[in-house]
């Protein structure tokens, strides 16, 4: 079974631009979460999507947004990029049973490394 | 709010020696606890997790961790280090009932010396 894939793997943008990152979960997984990893702040939860709905959101400004499509693929968008948005953005997927929550394992993709100049 | 503290941002051990990576958590109720490993230029791989039940949890690659509620700890151990264990290790916590909103510790870089 293919793992979580993220595209692109590397990206360079300039301040003020916007960027869209893509995540394809493991087949059958319906939950997708996004995390930001930086040397200064470490790994921080951005948001989680399930059934095309945002279920949880971390403490990030509104410039960070996301969405999920009917095939569970997810995108995250960052508008008006700032230097501090340079980071590794990780996507994780997990399977959720009907109405269930519990402790399904999150499987992480390799990440998209974003550099803002 | 939950939080995780990993003691020691860098740990060095000799090959064959015991690996001990420390993790303490803060939570008002027993959370779910995880250890992940990250190799250079890769994502995170789950080593093991504690949700409920047995407090000694065995994971992949010979790692195990013990949940100690009284000490609010979830330390990671491996009896004998291997060169391939060199990586960054993250302890994480999530609210009980949801494993999809993880709060991570700051990570511990493990170096294995020949």
């Amino acid at each position: 079974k293919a793992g979580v894939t993220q595209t692109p793997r590397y990206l360079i943008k300039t301040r003020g631009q916007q960027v869209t990152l893509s995540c394809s979960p493991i087949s059958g997984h319906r939950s997708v979460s996004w995390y930001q990893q930086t040397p200064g702040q470490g790994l921080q939860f951005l948001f989680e999507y399930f059934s095309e709905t945002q279920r949880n959101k971390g403490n990030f400004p509104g410039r960070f947004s996301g969405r999920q499509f009917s095939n569970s693929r997810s995108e995250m968008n960052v508008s008006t990029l700032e230097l501090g948005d340079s980071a590794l953005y990780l996507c994780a997927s997990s399977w959720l049973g009907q109405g269930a929550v519990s402790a399904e394992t999150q499987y992480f993709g390799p990440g998209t490394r974003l550099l803002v100049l | 709010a939950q939080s995780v503290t990993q003691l020691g941002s860098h740990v060095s051990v000799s090959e064959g020696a015991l690996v001990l990576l420390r993790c303490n958590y803060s939570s008002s109720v027993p959370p779910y606890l995880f250890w992940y490993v990250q190799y250079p230029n890769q994502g995170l791989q789950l080593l093991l997790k504690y949700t409920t039940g047995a407090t000694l949890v065995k994971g992949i690659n010979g790692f195990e961790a013990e949940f100690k509620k009284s000490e609010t700890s979830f330390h990671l151990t491996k009896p004998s280090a291997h060169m391939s264990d060199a990586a960054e290790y993250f302890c994480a916590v999530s609210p009980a009932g949801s494993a999809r909103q993880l709060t991570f510790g700051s990570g511990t870089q493990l170096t294995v010396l020949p």
Side-chain angles (χ1 to χ4, degrees), chain B residues 43-75:
Chain B
L44 301 172
Q45 180 183 12
L46 180 71
L47 285 175
L48 49 78
K49 66 184 180 185
Y50 170 79
T51 55
T52 59
T55 56
L56 182 62
V57 181
K58 295 186 184 299
I60 62 171
N61 301 337
F63 285 95
E64 63 181 38
E66 185 171 10
F67 169 62
K68 292 187 176 180
K69 183 179 176 182
S70 61
E71 299 177 8
T72 60
S73 69
F74 191 58
H75 302 330

PDB file of all heavy atoms in Angstrom, chain B residues 43-75:
ATOM      1  N   GLY B  43       9.859  12.038   6.858  1.00  0.00           N
ATOM      2  CA  GLY B  43       8.768  12.330   7.779  1.00  0.00           C
ATOM      3  C   GLY B  43       8.942  11.570   9.070  1.00  0.00           C
ATOM      4  O   GLY B  43      10.019  11.051   9.376  1.00  0.00           O
ATOM      5  N   LEU B  44       7.881  11.492   9.826  1.00  0.00           N
ATOM      6  CA  LEU B  44       7.908  10.839  11.131  1.00  0.00           C
ATOM      7  C   LEU B  44       7.394   9.409  11.023  1.00  0.00           C
ATOM      8  O   LEU B  44       6.430   9.142  10.321  1.00  0.00           O
ATOM      9  CB  LEU B  44       7.039  11.605  12.124  1.00  0.00           C
ATOM     10  CG  LEU B  44       7.413  13.064  12.364  1.00  0.00           C
ATOM     11  CD1 LEU B  44       6.357  13.746  13.216  1.00  0.00           C
ATOM     12  CD2 LEU B  44       8.768  13.162  13.011  1.00  0.00           C
ATOM     13  N   GLN B  45       8.048   8.527  11.760  1.00  0.00           N
ATOM     14  CA  GLN B  45       7.624   7.138  11.794  1.00  0.00           C
ATOM     15  C   GLN B  45       7.260   6.783  13.232  1.00  0.00           C
ATOM     16  O   GLN B  45       8.028   7.055  14.157  1.00  0.00           O
ATOM     17  CB  GLN B  45       8.744   6.230  11.299  1.00  0.00           C
ATOM     18  CG  GLN B  45       8.380   4.755  11.293  1.00  0.00           C
ATOM     19  CD  GLN B  45       9.533   3.854  10.877  1.00  0.00           C
ATOM     20  OE1 GLN B  45      10.675   4.282  10.803  1.00  0.00           O
ATOM     21  NE2 GLN B  45       9.229   2.598  10.590  1.00  0.00           N
ATOM     22  N   LEU B  46       6.100   6.166  13.414  1.00  0.00           N
ATOM     23  CA  LEU B  46       5.673   5.797  14.755  1.00  0.00           C
ATOM     24  C   LEU B  46       6.493   4.634  15.275  1.00  0.00           C
ATOM     25  O   LEU B  46       6.618   3.604  14.615  1.00  0.00           O
ATOM     26  CB  LEU B  46       4.194   5.416  14.754  1.00  0.00           C
ATOM     27  CG  LEU B  46       3.625   5.005  16.109  1.00  0.00           C
ATOM     28  CD1 LEU B  46       3.503   6.219  17.027  1.00  0.00           C
ATOM     29  CD2 LEU B  46       2.269   4.322  15.947  1.00  0.00           C
ATOM     30  N   LEU B  47       7.052   4.802  16.475  1.00  0.00           N
ATOM     31  CA  LEU B  47       7.771   3.710  17.137  1.00  0.00           C
ATOM     32  C   LEU B  47       6.826   2.901  18.013  1.00  0.00           C
ATOM     33  O   LEU B  47       6.854   1.669  18.006  1.00  0.00           O
ATOM     34  CB  LEU B  47       8.890   4.272  18.016  1.00  0.00           C
ATOM     35  CG  LEU B  47      10.149   4.788  17.329  1.00  0.00           C
ATOM     36  CD1 LEU B  47      11.072   5.413  18.361  1.00  0.00           C
ATOM     37  CD2 LEU B  47      10.862   3.667  16.591  1.00  0.00           C
ATOM     38  N   LEU B  48       6.027   3.615  18.813  1.00  0.00           N
ATOM     39  CA  LEU B  48       5.097   2.949  19.714  1.00  0.00           C
ATOM     40  C   LEU B  48       4.103   3.956  20.249  1.00  0.00           C
ATOM     41  O   LEU B  48       4.306   5.171  20.120  1.00  0.00           O
ATOM     42  CB  LEU B  48       5.840   2.252  20.860  1.00  0.00           C
ATOM     43  CG  LEU B  48       6.895   3.059  21.620  1.00  0.00           C
ATOM     44  CD1 LEU B  48       6.315   4.012  22.624  1.00  0.00           C
ATOM     45  CD2 LEU B  48       7.902   2.115  22.297  1.00  0.00           C
ATOM     46  N   LYS B  49       3.036   3.435  20.851  1.00  0.00           N
ATOM     47  CA  LYS B  49       2.024   4.310  21.417  1.00  0.00           C
ATOM     48  C   LYS B  49       1.397   3.652  22.642  1.00  0.00           C
ATOM     49  O   LYS B  49       1.332   2.432  22.753  1.00  0.00           O
ATOM     50  CB  LYS B  49       0.940   4.639  20.400  1.00  0.00           C
ATOM     51  CG  LYS B  49       0.094   3.442  19.970  1.00  0.00           C
ATOM     52  CD  LYS B  49      -0.893   3.846  18.891  1.00  0.00           C
ATOM     53  CE  LYS B  49      -1.732   2.641  18.467  1.00  0.00           C
ATOM     54  NZ  LYS B  49      -2.643   2.962  17.325  1.00  0.00           N
ATOM     55  N   TYR B  50       0.957   4.497  23.562  1.00  0.00           N
ATOM     56  CA  TYR B  50       0.191   4.051  24.718  1.00  0.00           C
ATOM     57  C   TYR B  50      -1.177   4.702  24.666  1.00  0.00           C
ATOM     58  O   TYR B  50      -1.294   5.930  24.544  1.00  0.00           O
ATOM     59  CB  TYR B  50       0.886   4.424  26.032  1.00  0.00           C
ATOM     60  CG  TYR B  50      -0.010   4.195  27.218  1.00  0.00           C
ATOM     61  CD1 TYR B  50      -0.187   2.921  27.738  1.00  0.00           C
ATOM     62  CD2 TYR B  50      -0.747   5.243  27.771  1.00  0.00           C
ATOM     63  CE1 TYR B  50      -1.052   2.693  28.792  1.00  0.00           C
ATOM     64  CE2 TYR B  50      -1.612   5.030  28.827  1.00  0.00           C
ATOM     65  CZ  TYR B  50      -1.757   3.752  29.337  1.00  0.00           C
ATOM     66  OH  TYR B  50      -2.631   3.539  30.366  1.00  0.00           O
ATOM     67  N   THR B  51      -2.196   3.885  24.778  1.00  0.00           N
ATOM     68  CA  THR B  51      -3.559   4.433  24.853  1.00  0.00           C
ATOM     69  C   THR B  51      -4.176   4.000  26.185  1.00  0.00           C
ATOM     70  O   THR B  51      -4.402   4.811  27.073  1.00  0.00           O
ATOM     71  CB  THR B  51      -4.408   3.972  23.675  1.00  0.00           C
ATOM     72  OG1 THR B  51      -4.406   2.539  23.606  1.00  0.00           O
ATOM     73  CG2 THR B  51      -3.838   4.515  22.378  1.00  0.00           C
ATOM     74  N   THR B  52      -4.437   2.740  26.315  1.00  0.00           N
ATOM     75  CA  THR B  52      -4.952   2.212  27.578  1.00  0.00           C
ATOM     76  C   THR B  52      -4.349   0.826  27.784  1.00  0.00           C
ATOM     77  O   THR B  52      -3.699   0.282  26.896  1.00  0.00           O
ATOM     78  CB  THR B  52      -6.481   2.092  27.569  1.00  0.00           C
ATOM     79  OG1 THR B  52      -6.861   1.230  26.495  1.00  0.00           O
ATOM     80  CG2 THR B  52      -7.148   3.435  27.376  1.00  0.00           C
ATOM     81  N   GLY B  53      -4.579   0.263  28.950  1.00  0.00           N
ATOM     82  CA  GLY B  53      -4.130  -1.109  29.187  1.00  0.00           C
ATOM     83  C   GLY B  53      -2.718  -1.182  29.713  1.00  0.00           C
ATOM     84  O   GLY B  53      -2.294  -0.365  30.549  1.00  0.00           O
ATOM     85  N   ALA B  54      -1.989  -2.163  29.239  1.00  0.00           N
ATOM     86  CA  ALA B  54      -0.644  -2.434  29.738  1.00  0.00           C
ATOM     87  C   ALA B  54       0.238  -1.198  29.645  1.00  0.00           C
ATOM     88  O   ALA B  54       0.296  -0.533  28.608  1.00  0.00           O
ATOM     89  CB  ALA B  54      -0.007  -3.575  28.948  1.00  0.00           C
ATOM     90  N   THR B  55       0.919  -0.908  30.734  1.00  0.00           N
ATOM     91  CA  THR B  55       1.704   0.323  30.784  1.00  0.00           C
ATOM     92  C   THR B  55       3.071   0.180  30.131  1.00  0.00           C
ATOM     93  O   THR B  55       3.708   1.185  29.828  1.00  0.00           O
ATOM     94  CB  THR B  55       1.887   0.783  32.239  1.00  0.00           C
ATOM     95  OG1 THR B  55       2.490  -0.286  32.984  1.00  0.00           O
ATOM     96  CG2 THR B  55       0.545   1.133  32.862  1.00  0.00           C
ATOM     97  N   LEU B  56       3.525  -1.054  29.936  1.00  0.00           N
ATOM     98  CA  LEU B  56       4.786  -1.278  29.217  1.00  0.00           C
ATOM     99  C   LEU B  56       4.435  -1.562  27.766  1.00  0.00           C
ATOM    100  O   LEU B  56       3.772  -2.545  27.457  1.00  0.00           O
ATOM    101  CB  LEU B  56       5.567  -2.433  29.835  1.00  0.00           C
ATOM    102  CG  LEU B  56       6.916  -2.731  29.190  1.00  0.00           C
ATOM    103  CD1 LEU B  56       7.852  -1.534  29.318  1.00  0.00           C
ATOM    104  CD2 LEU B  56       7.541  -3.980  29.803  1.00  0.00           C
ATOM    105  N   VAL B  57       4.891  -0.707  26.906  1.00  0.00           N
ATOM    106  CA  VAL B  57       4.525  -0.801  25.496  1.00  0.00           C
ATOM    107  C   VAL B  57       5.757  -1.153  24.679  1.00  0.00           C
ATOM    108  O   VAL B  57       6.810  -0.520  24.824  1.00  0.00           O
ATOM    109  CB  VAL B  57       3.954   0.546  24.998  1.00  0.00           C
ATOM    110  CG1 VAL B  57       3.565   0.429  23.528  1.00  0.00           C
ATOM    111  CG2 VAL B  57       2.763   0.965  25.837  1.00  0.00           C
ATOM    112  N   LYS B  58       5.611  -2.149  23.848  1.00  0.00           N
ATOM    113  CA  LYS B  58       6.714  -2.532  22.963  1.00  0.00           C
ATOM    114  C   LYS B  58       6.451  -2.002  21.572  1.00  0.00           C
ATOM    115  O   LYS B  58       5.320  -2.050  21.077  1.00  0.00           O
ATOM    116  CB  LYS B  58       6.872  -4.048  22.954  1.00  0.00           C
ATOM    117  CG  LYS B  58       7.299  -4.608  24.305  1.00  0.00           C
ATOM    118  CD  LYS B  58       7.582  -6.095  24.231  1.00  0.00           C
ATOM    119  CE  LYS B  58       7.913  -6.643  25.627  1.00  0.00           C
ATOM    120  NZ  LYS B  58       9.111  -6.013  26.214  1.00  0.00           N
ATOM    121  N   GLY B  59       7.519  -1.517  20.942  1.00  0.00           N
ATOM    122  CA  GLY B  59       7.373  -0.960  19.620  1.00  0.00           C
ATOM    123  C   GLY B  59       8.278  -1.641  18.615  1.00  0.00           C
ATOM    124  O   GLY B  59       8.758  -2.748  18.824  1.00  0.00           O
ATOM    125  N   ILE B  60       8.501  -0.944  17.526  1.00  0.00           N
ATOM    126  CA  ILE B  60       9.335  -1.500  16.470  1.00  0.00           C
ATOM    127  C   ILE B  60      10.818  -1.296  16.782  1.00  0.00           C
ATOM    128  O   ILE B  60      11.176  -0.474  17.633  1.00  0.00           O
ATOM    129  CB  ILE B  60       8.999  -0.875  15.105  1.00  0.00           C
ATOM    130  CG1 ILE B  60       9.276   0.642  15.132  1.00  0.00           C
ATOM    131  CG2 ILE B  60       7.554  -1.142  14.737  1.00  0.00           C
ATOM    132  CD1 ILE B  60       9.170   1.288  13.765  1.00  0.00           C
ATOM    133  N   ASN B  61      11.644  -2.056  16.102  1.00  0.00           N
ATOM    134  CA  ASN B  61      13.097  -1.918  16.190  1.00  0.00           C
ATOM    135  C   ASN B  61      13.646  -2.103  17.605  1.00  0.00           C
ATOM    136  O   ASN B  61      14.700  -1.567  17.933  1.00  0.00           O
ATOM    137  CB  ASN B  61      13.556  -0.556  15.650  1.00  0.00           C
ATOM    138  CG  ASN B  61      13.147  -0.346  14.208  1.00  0.00           C
ATOM    139  OD1 ASN B  61      12.913  -1.304  13.466  1.00  0.00           O
ATOM    140  ND2 ASN B  61      13.058   0.905  13.796  1.00  0.00           N
ATOM    141  N   GLY B  62      12.951  -2.857  18.437  1.00  0.00           N
ATOM    142  CA  GLY B  62      13.438  -3.166  19.775  1.00  0.00           C
ATOM    143  C   GLY B  62      13.195  -2.104  20.818  1.00  0.00           C
ATOM    144  O   GLY B  62      13.669  -2.218  21.956  1.00  0.00           O
ATOM    145  N   PHE B  63      12.484  -1.071  20.500  1.00  0.00           N
ATOM    146  CA  PHE B  63      12.194  -0.006  21.459  1.00  0.00           C
ATOM    147  C   PHE B  63      10.989  -0.358  22.323  1.00  0.00           C
ATOM    148  O   PHE B  63      10.087  -1.075  21.898  1.00  0.00           O
ATOM    149  CB  PHE B  63      11.922   1.318  20.735  1.00  0.00           C
ATOM    150  CG  PHE B  63      13.158   1.978  20.194  1.00  0.00           C
ATOM    151  CD1 PHE B  63      13.535   1.771  18.870  1.00  0.00           C
ATOM    152  CD2 PHE B  63      13.928   2.796  20.999  1.00  0.00           C
ATOM    153  CE1 PHE B  63      14.690   2.373  18.366  1.00  0.00           C
ATOM    154  CE2 PHE B  63      15.071   3.402  20.501  1.00  0.00           C
ATOM    155  CZ  PHE B  63      15.451   3.188  19.186  1.00  0.00           C
ATOM    156  N   GLU B  64      10.987   0.154  23.528  1.00  0.00           N
ATOM    157  CA  GLU B  64       9.836   0.034  24.409  1.00  0.00           C
ATOM    158  C   GLU B  64       9.768   1.271  25.301  1.00  0.00           C
ATOM    159  O   GLU B  64      10.736   2.009  25.439  1.00  0.00           O
ATOM    160  CB  GLU B  64       9.876  -1.241  25.242  1.00  0.00           C
ATOM    161  CG  GLU B  64      11.033  -1.355  26.211  1.00  0.00           C
ATOM    162  CD  GLU B  64      10.980  -2.673  26.970  1.00  0.00           C
ATOM    163  OE1 GLU B  64      10.620  -3.712  26.386  1.00  0.00           O
ATOM    164  OE2 GLU B  64      11.297  -2.646  28.180  1.00  0.00           O
ATOM    165  N   ALA B  65       8.598   1.478  25.869  1.00  0.00           N
ATOM    166  CA  ALA B  65       8.398   2.620  26.762  1.00  0.00           C
ATOM    167  C   ALA B  65       7.406   2.224  27.839  1.00  0.00           C
ATOM    168  O   ALA B  65       6.536   1.373  27.625  1.00  0.00           O
ATOM    169  CB  ALA B  65       7.872   3.830  25.985  1.00  0.00           C
ATOM    170  N   GLU B  66       7.559   2.842  28.990  1.00  0.00           N
ATOM    171  CA  GLU B  66       6.662   2.540  30.093  1.00  0.00           C
ATOM    172  C   GLU B  66       5.917   3.791  30.533  1.00  0.00           C
ATOM    173  O   GLU B  66       6.537   4.827  30.820  1.00  0.00           O
ATOM    174  CB  GLU B  66       7.429   1.963  31.282  1.00  0.00           C
ATOM    175  CG  GLU B  66       6.509   1.506  32.417  1.00  0.00           C
ATOM    176  CD  GLU B  66       7.233   0.750  33.503  1.00  0.00           C
ATOM    177  OE1 GLU B  66       8.486   0.724  33.495  1.00  0.00           O
ATOM    178  OE2 GLU B  66       6.547   0.175  34.363  1.00  0.00           O
ATOM    179  N   PHE B  67       4.614   3.693  30.573  1.00  0.00           N
ATOM    180  CA  PHE B  67       3.776   4.791  31.042  1.00  0.00           C
ATOM    181  C   PHE B  67       3.723   4.738  32.562  1.00  0.00           C
ATOM    182  O   PHE B  67       3.303   3.732  33.149  1.00  0.00           O
ATOM    183  CB  PHE B  67       2.368   4.664  30.464  1.00  0.00           C
ATOM    184  CG  PHE B  67       1.355   5.594  31.077  1.00  0.00           C
ATOM    185  CD1 PHE B  67       1.514   6.962  30.984  1.00  0.00           C
ATOM    186  CD2 PHE B  67       0.240   5.093  31.732  1.00  0.00           C
ATOM    187  CE1 PHE B  67       0.571   7.830  31.533  1.00  0.00           C
ATOM    188  CE2 PHE B  67      -0.713   5.946  32.278  1.00  0.00           C
ATOM    189  CZ  PHE B  67      -0.545   7.314  32.181  1.00  0.00           C
ATOM    190  N   LYS B  68       4.179   5.809  33.203  1.00  0.00           N
ATOM    191  CA  LYS B  68       4.142   5.897  34.659  1.00  0.00           C
ATOM    192  C   LYS B  68       3.304   7.117  35.031  1.00  0.00           C
ATOM    193  O   LYS B  68       3.791   8.263  35.001  1.00  0.00           O
ATOM    194  CB  LYS B  68       5.557   6.004  35.241  1.00  0.00           C
ATOM    195  CG  LYS B  68       6.376   4.739  35.072  1.00  0.00           C
ATOM    196  CD  LYS B  68       7.694   4.816  35.813  1.00  0.00           C
ATOM    197  CE  LYS B  68       8.466   3.510  35.708  1.00  0.00           C
ATOM    198  NZ  LYS B  68       9.762   3.554  36.431  1.00  0.00           N
ATOM    199  N   LYS B  69       2.078   6.838  35.410  1.00  0.00           N
ATOM    200  CA  LYS B  69       1.143   7.923  35.700  1.00  0.00           C
ATOM    201  C   LYS B  69       1.612   8.758  36.879  1.00  0.00           C
ATOM    202  O   LYS B  69       1.518   9.985  36.855  1.00  0.00           O
ATOM    203  CB  LYS B  69      -0.252   7.344  35.963  1.00  0.00           C
ATOM    204  CG  LYS B  69      -1.326   8.375  36.202  1.00  0.00           C
ATOM    205  CD  LYS B  69      -2.663   7.707  36.434  1.00  0.00           C
ATOM    206  CE  LYS B  69      -3.740   8.733  36.779  1.00  0.00           C
ATOM    207  NZ  LYS B  69      -5.048   8.077  37.043  1.00  0.00           N
ATOM    208  N   SER B  70       2.133   8.087  37.904  1.00  0.00           N
ATOM    209  CA  SER B  70       2.535   8.809  39.110  1.00  0.00           C
ATOM    210  C   SER B  70       3.692   9.762  38.845  1.00  0.00           C
ATOM    211  O   SER B  70       3.841  10.776  39.528  1.00  0.00           O
ATOM    212  CB  SER B  70       2.936   7.817  40.206  1.00  0.00           C
ATOM    213  OG  SER B  70       4.037   7.035  39.782  1.00  0.00           O
ATOM    214  N   GLU B  71       4.498   9.436  37.835  1.00  0.00           N
ATOM    215  CA  GLU B  71       5.633  10.284  37.492  1.00  0.00           C
ATOM    216  C   GLU B  71       5.357  11.116  36.240  1.00  0.00           C
ATOM    217  O   GLU B  71       6.235  11.872  35.817  1.00  0.00           O
ATOM    218  CB  GLU B  71       6.877   9.413  37.266  1.00  0.00           C
ATOM    219  CG  GLU B  71       7.291   8.615  38.482  1.00  0.00           C
ATOM    220  CD  GLU B  71       8.480   7.709  38.207  1.00  0.00           C
ATOM    221  OE1 GLU B  71       9.084   7.802  37.125  1.00  0.00           O
ATOM    222  OE2 GLU B  71       8.803   6.883  39.103  1.00  0.00           O
ATOM    223  N   THR B  72       4.197  10.978  35.676  1.00  0.00           N
ATOM    224  CA  THR B  72       3.821  11.619  34.394  1.00  0.00           C
ATOM    225  C   THR B  72       4.957  11.479  33.386  1.00  0.00           C
ATOM    226  O   THR B  72       5.393  12.455  32.757  1.00  0.00           O
ATOM    227  CB  THR B  72       3.432  13.101  34.569  1.00  0.00           C
ATOM    228  OG1 THR B  72       4.535  13.833  35.114  1.00  0.00           O
ATOM    229  CG2 THR B  72       2.221  13.230  35.465  1.00  0.00           C
ATOM    230  N   SER B  73       5.431  10.249  33.242  1.00  0.00           N
ATOM    231  CA  SER B  73       6.561  10.010  32.347  1.00  0.00           C
ATOM    232  C   SER B  73       6.236   8.916  31.337  1.00  0.00           C
ATOM    233  O   SER B  73       5.349   8.074  31.552  1.00  0.00           O
ATOM    234  CB  SER B  73       7.806   9.624  33.146  1.00  0.00           C
ATOM    235  OG  SER B  73       7.653   8.352  33.734  1.00  0.00           O
ATOM    236  N   PHE B  74       6.987   8.945  30.250  1.00  0.00           N
ATOM    237  CA  PHE B  74       6.837   7.942  29.189  1.00  0.00           C
ATOM    238  C   PHE B  74       8.200   7.844  28.520  1.00  0.00           C
ATOM    239  O   PHE B  74       8.380   8.195  27.365  1.00  0.00           O
ATOM    240  CB  PHE B  74       5.744   8.373  28.211  1.00  0.00           C
ATOM    241  CG  PHE B  74       5.324   7.313  27.224  1.00  0.00           C
ATOM    242  CD1 PHE B  74       4.843   6.079  27.662  1.00  0.00           C
ATOM    243  CD2 PHE B  74       5.367   7.542  25.852  1.00  0.00           C
ATOM    244  CE1 PHE B  74       4.436   5.103  26.768  1.00  0.00           C
ATOM    245  CE2 PHE B  74       4.959   6.568  24.944  1.00  0.00           C
ATOM    246  CZ  PHE B  74       4.501   5.353  25.402  1.00  0.00           C
ATOM    247  N   HIS B  75       9.170   7.314  29.246  1.00  0.00           N
ATOM    248  CA  HIS B  75      10.540   7.245  28.752  1.00  0.00           C
ATOM    249  C   HIS B  75      10.708   6.113  27.739  1.00  0.00           C
ATOM    250  O   HIS B  75      10.139   5.031  27.905  1.00  0.00           O
ATOM    251  CB  HIS B  75      11.522   7.049  29.907  1.00  0.00           C
ATOM    252  CG  HIS B  75      11.462   8.129  30.951  1.00  0.00           C
ATOM    253  ND1 HIS B  75      11.107   9.429  30.657  1.00  0.00           N
ATOM    254  CD2 HIS B  75      11.702   8.082  32.286  1.00  0.00           C
ATOM    255  CE1 HIS B  75      11.145  10.168  31.762  1.00  0.00           C
ATOM    256  NE2 HIS B  75      11.503   9.362  32.767  1.00  0.00           N
TER     257      HIS B  75
END
